[in-house]
Amino acid sequence: MSGRPETVPGRPIAHALEGGDAVTNSAPTPGTLEPYVETTRAEYAARYTTGLRVEAADDGVAVLHGRCPRCGCAFSYTHTDRVFRSPRRTPRPTHVPVLCECEAEHPGRPPEEKGCGAYWNVLVERA
């Protein structure tokens, strides 16, 4: 098992930058939410990309649908690789920092934050 999502021509794909074992990424056990802690681990990216679904929302925009590798909650993460319109270039791989943005009420989470505090990096590229 490679941990890489199925590729569709022209559709963006994402995969782990760091090493780590491709393991399953399951939903949290009811009633057992992780406390909010800003943290990362080498295996988070590999776990996140297992079962990840990526869609192109617009030119330069990718929406990643998956589960947080720390808390197991499902969420969608929108990445835009361009802020201003510029001449189109050949698509190139983009390193994307991803933060858990789940809606679960993690104990100790500041009111202005989302998610459980976990973050990791993935590589998004056109198939």
Side-chain angles (χ1 to χ4, degrees):
M1 176 185 235
S2 71
R4 292 184 75 163
E6 178 182 338
T7 60
V8 176
R11 174 185 267 178
I13 59 170
H15 54 91
L17 286 173
E18 299 93 2
D21 298 326
V23 294
T24 59
N25 201 13
S26 57
T29 304
T32 59
L33 285 176
E34 294 283 342
Y36 180 88
V37 175
E38 292 181 6
T39 186
T40 191
R41 291 185 157 188
E43 69 269 12
Y44 282 178
R47 289 182 64 190
Y48 178 68
T49 56
T50 300
L52 181 69
R53 187 170 54 91
V54 183
E55 64 183 64
D58 194 359
D59 184 32
V61 178
V63 182
L64 289 68
H65 305 280
R67 291 195 172 276
C68 173
R70 179 171 179 260
C71 71
C73 296
F75 71 96
S76 295
Y77 189 83
T78 303
H79 170 72
T80 304
D81 66 356
R82 295 187 333 180
V83 178
F84 299 101
R85 289 274 179 202
S86 61
R88 292 185 185 194
R89 294 180 266 175
T90 304
R92 62 178 184 247
T94 304
H95 294 216
V96 178
V98 180
L99 303 112
C100 175
E101 291 191 341
C102 74
E103 297 295 328
E105 295 293 330
H106 290 279
R109 182 176 70 200
E112 68 278 1
E113 297 294 337
K114 288 184 178 180
C116 70
Y119 58 94
W120 55 95
N121 294 305
V122 295
L123 184 67
V124 175
E125 58 187 337
R126 292 265 175 204

